[in-house]
Amino acid sequence: MSAQFKRGEAVDFLVIGAGAAGGVVAKELSTAGFSVVVLEQGPYAREKDFSHDEIKFVFEGGFTNDTKLQPVMFRKNESEAAIAKKAIMYGRQVGGGSVHFTANYWRFHESDFHERSLFGDVPGTAFADWPISYNDLEPFYTKAEYDLGISGLAGANPFEAPRSKPYPLPPMPVKSSGVLFDQATRKLGLHPFPAPMAILSQPYRGRGACVHCGFCEAFGCEVRAKSSSLASVIPMAEKTGHCEIRPNSYVRKIETDAHGRATGAIYFDAERREIFQRGRVVVVCANGVESPKLLLVSKSNLFPQGLANSSGLVGKHLMWDNGVMASAVFEHPLNEFKSIQVTRVIHDYYAADAKRGFYGGGGIDARFQYYPAGFALAGLPDDAPRWGLEYKKTFGEYFTRTMTLLAHATSLPMEKNSVSLDPGVRDAWGLPGVRITFENHADDVANLKWLLEREHEILNAMNPKKVWSVAPDPVIDTSVHLMGTCRMGADRKKSVVNRYSQTHDVPNLFVVDGSNFVTSARQQPTATIQALAYHASDYMIRAAKSGDLG
């Protein structure tokens, strides 16, 4: 039974954001017996609110952030004037982006946590080792996989780090793209494996298995087979009777007392009334852009640069969703529009190799990429007809016969890439708008070009009728993976949070989401975000019980 606390009543933990991380934190803390209020700026959407409307959920953004309400400004560097652009996209509802993500669920490799020591310095960056290791997080990766329900095959990826347990569910059935990819990559001496997916291949803990409707990426799951925090851990939290999820609650500021300790947060409710919610501990899980923004707007006499920002690094080191795609059309129908997005992956090109002449690497998956309207506008090759009978004929042939490879690449941390407050823009609540400054490092651009060549090799090994792609653009100006902006570290002068996601400056304030990342690995951050959330929650529970958090 979901708890209902009086508005403003002090609770043990105040969690800001009910996404991939916030859902985990809420479940762990409430299961341990603590009182928890979760403030989520978006609505509490249920399965009845989801549909297969491509216009609504892909073109109009569905349950993602609305730039009419919360404007986003973008520039490549500080010398440019920022322009209005939806440069970032995140889930704005209970469950956050986990509601409508593709559901790729890779663990990071062991090397990802100490890659700076392995590869060396990369000039122009803040490339660094994490203050924790894969072994520190392994039990929490496992806990996430079992709490949420992840389908995969342990040991199938020869580059995978050691695991304490197999996946709780077998892998999803292979699709046509997966079969072709499997055959071609093996022919090239590579090692394809079943994609680990946050989608149920079998019934699990009262939830039904995937019905293969084909609407995963950008869409909510009406049958609760996608293992979002909405479908998995949030119901667990509510059933404890210790947790209240409070939707349509937009946080304006985190408050602190005269001793510099967090006391709670002021938020706007659905009627835009200001309410102060007290919390003995505050946990910010708002994502890699909204979390640093909230810290920056929460400045005070004690924290003139922004809350928990004595290092000056809140909002810095933004890392991006870098990737590159190539497509191919075949003689016979593949019918990729059926079932999930991805069923096969390779990590043969994952590790960085100095012999290439640049830092980088990537995982490559075979997938269905475009729904019908999107395919009509962006899925055809550049030389395809664009109008009339020939266009209709080409679309009809290509849509059912096309597959795509997507390489998930690196994004190096650079201090100049940042989230800041735009001095000239306000949102619908009167708060400063977000300003994104981002430009790829030259190594990341070189890596994208190199990975595109690998994709062409793989597709050409499938004997297709035609292969095409678009050359990587050095300016990638849109991202859904938002990382690095409250980075983790042992040195308080060079980081915002410690190994437990606890801010260096405020002992009862935690930031737990992709903003903690020190490096981006090869994208697909959700599994690691949630492992970090379990890791941080474990510490919070122990510290709260011993009185170390006050």
Side-chain angles (χ1 to χ4, degrees):
M1 185 70 178
S2 177
Q4 291 291 320
F5 299 100
K6 294 179 181 178
R7 295 298 185 262
E9 176 186 353
V11 293
D12 296 321
F13 288 89
L14 175 61
V15 179
I16 301 172
V24 167
V25 171
K27 177 262 178 183
E28 288 294 281
L29 297 175
S30 59
T31 301
F34 294 103
S35 56
V36 181
V37 164
V38 183
L39 301 177
E40 166 55 48
Q41 64 169 294
Y44 202 144
R46 311 284 182 163
E47 286 73 27
K48 64 179 175 56
D49 300 307
F50 302 141
S51 72
H52 297 168
D53 185 337
E54 183 183 356
I55 302 302
K56 177 180 179 180
F57 290 102
V58 177
F59 289 90
E60 295 179 352
F63 291 116
T64 64
N65 52 306
D66 183 352
T67 54
K68 295 185 182 69
L69 296 175
Q70 294 165 285
V72 177
M73 306 299 287
F74 176 82
R75 60 185 183 180
K76 295 196 300 291
N77 51 64
E78 292 185 357
S79 64
E80 285 191 349
I83 61 170
K85 181 178 181 60
K86 193 170 182 176
I88 56 166
M89 187 166 68
Y90 57 84
R92 193 180 183 275
Q93 73 283 308
V94 174
S98 71
V99 171
H100 40 73
F101 74 147
T102 306
N104 275 315
Y105 208 81
W106 311 346
R107 295 183 178 198
F108 277 11
H109 290 205
E110 281 184 291
S111 59
D112 288 323
F113 295 93
H114 58 272
E115 205 174 13
R116 167 66 174 78
S117 294
L118 294 173
F119 187 86
D121 184 40
V122 181
T125 75
F127 196 40
D129 291 341
W130 291 55
I132 58 174
S133 69
Y134 173 83
N135 287 338
D136 292 325
L137 280 192
E138 198 286 328
F140 303 104
Y141 275 122
T142 298
K143 192 167 188 179
E145 289 166 357
Y146 278 77
D147 269 4
L148 290 132
I150 307 300
S151 301
L153 182 60
N157 175 10
F159 308 101
E160 183 179 45
R163 305 173 56 88
S164 57
K165 293 174 73 173
Y167 287 100
L169 293 162
M172 296 293 291
V174 67
K175 294 176 60 172
S176 300
S177 59
V179 172
L180 291 170
F181 185 76
D182 196 285
Q183 293 173 345
T185 51
R186 290 187 189 280
K187 189 189 303 183
L188 295 170
L190 307 174
H191 303 84
F193 61 94
M197 300 296 287
I199 298 174
L200 304 184
S201 59
Q202 295 177 355
Y204 187 72
R205 296 186 176 181
R207 293 161 48 210
C210 177
V211 296
H212 305 284
C213 70
F215 289 84
C216 290
E217 186 176 8
F219 297 90
C221 182
E222 302 98 315
V223 299
R224 300 175 67 238
K226 188 185 290 186
S227 295
S228 64
S229 59
L230 174 69
S232 57
V233 289
I234 287 174
M236 295 181 201
E238 291 182 305
K239 285 178 182 177
T240 66
H242 301 301
C243 177
E244 179 187 353
I245 308 294
R246 205 172 285 173
N248 302 307
S249 300
Y250 183 37
V251 178
R252 177 173 75 77
K253 184 181 181 183
I254 298 170
E255 290 281 36
T256 53
D257 62 19
H259 303 288
R261 298 181 65 81
T263 57
I266 301 170
Y267 70 94
F268 296 101
D269 69 7
E271 284 74 43
R272 300 200 180 184
R273 295 172 299 197
E274 284 196 9
I275 297 171
F276 177 54
Q277 176 58 53
R278 297 181 182 277
R280 297 179 184 90
V281 179
V282 177
V283 188
V284 182
C285 306
N287 75 50
V289 166
E290 289 294 312
S291 288
K293 174 198 168 185
L294 181 55
L295 297 183
L296 292 172
V297 298
S298 298
K299 64 183 180 179
S300 64
N301 290 336
L302 282 177
F303 300 100
Q305 296 186 93
L307 187 57
N309 195 25
S310 64
S311 65
L313 295 179
V314 168
K316 304 294 180 65
H317 303 115
L318 175 64
M319 293 178 287
W320 215 237
D321 188 6
N322 281 340
V324 64
M325 294 188 299
S327 299
V329 65
F330 293 84
E331 180 181 356
H332 301 291
L334 306 179
N335 295 326
E336 283 296 296
F337 60 88
K338 299 179 180 181
S339 193
I340 65 174
Q341 238 76 26
V342 177
T343 59
R344 287 295 182 273
V345 186
I346 58 167
H347 280 183
D348 294 77
Y349 304 126
Y350 190 101
D353 186 345
K355 294 178 182 177
R356 297 172 193 157
F358 54 84
Y359 164 77
I364 300 175
D365 67 36
R367 63 171 46 210
F368 166 64
Q369 183 61 28
Y370 297 105
Y371 299 101
F375 190 86
L377 294 171
L380 292 167
D382 287 343
D383 59 357
R386 293 294 165 185
W387 191 255
L389 185 60
E390 285 303 308
Y391 167 76
K392 292 181 180 179
K393 180 180 176 182
T394 304
F395 175 84
E397 176 188 350
Y398 275 55
F399 182 68
T400 57
R401 291 171 169 81
T402 295
M403 63 172 282
T404 297
L405 301 188
L406 175 58
H408 308 268
T410 53
S411 181
L412 281 158
M414 295 187 284
E415 189 171 330
K416 66 179 184 178
N417 289 339
S418 66
V419 176
S420 57
L421 306 178
D422 193 291
V425 177
R426 296 275 164 172
D427 68 16
W429 293 264
L431 299 179
V434 165
R435 181 175 59 192
I436 303 295
T437 304
F438 186 86
E439 193 169 22
N440 265 316
H441 190 275
D443 279 27
D444 289 328
V445 177
N447 185 44
L448 290 170
K449 292 177 180 177
W450 182 82
L451 287 168
L452 184 60
E453 292 172 359
R454 308 289 77 73
E455 289 178 323
H456 276 259
E457 290 172 357
I458 294 167
L459 288 171
N460 283 320
M462 298 179 190
N463 193 31
K465 291 179 66 176
K466 182 182 181 69
V467 176
W468 68 94
S469 61
V470 177
D473 189 338
V475 181
I476 297 176
D477 57 5
T478 307
S479 183
V480 296
H481 297 162
L482 310 170
M483 300 167 284
T485 49
C486 296
R487 69 174 359 202
M488 180 182 285
D491 186 345
R492 63 187 302 134
K493 293 181 180 179
K494 297 181 180 179
S495 58
V496 178
V497 302
N498 66 15
R499 61 188 282 115
Y500 299 113
S501 303
Q502 180 182 32
T503 62
H504 292 299
D505 296 351
V506 184
N508 68 332
L509 174 65
F510 292 75
V511 182
V512 188
D513 52 33
S515 65
N516 294 167
F517 283 29
V518 181
T519 55
S520 69
R522 309 302 179 259
Q523 307 298 323
Q524 298 317 319
T526 308
T528 302
I529 288 172
Q530 294 189 301
L532 287 170
Y534 279 101
H535 181 252
S537 298
D538 178 72
Y539 172 77
M540 283 185 255
I541 291 166
R542 289 186 284 110
K545 287 181 176 179
S546 65
D548 289 346
L549 297 179

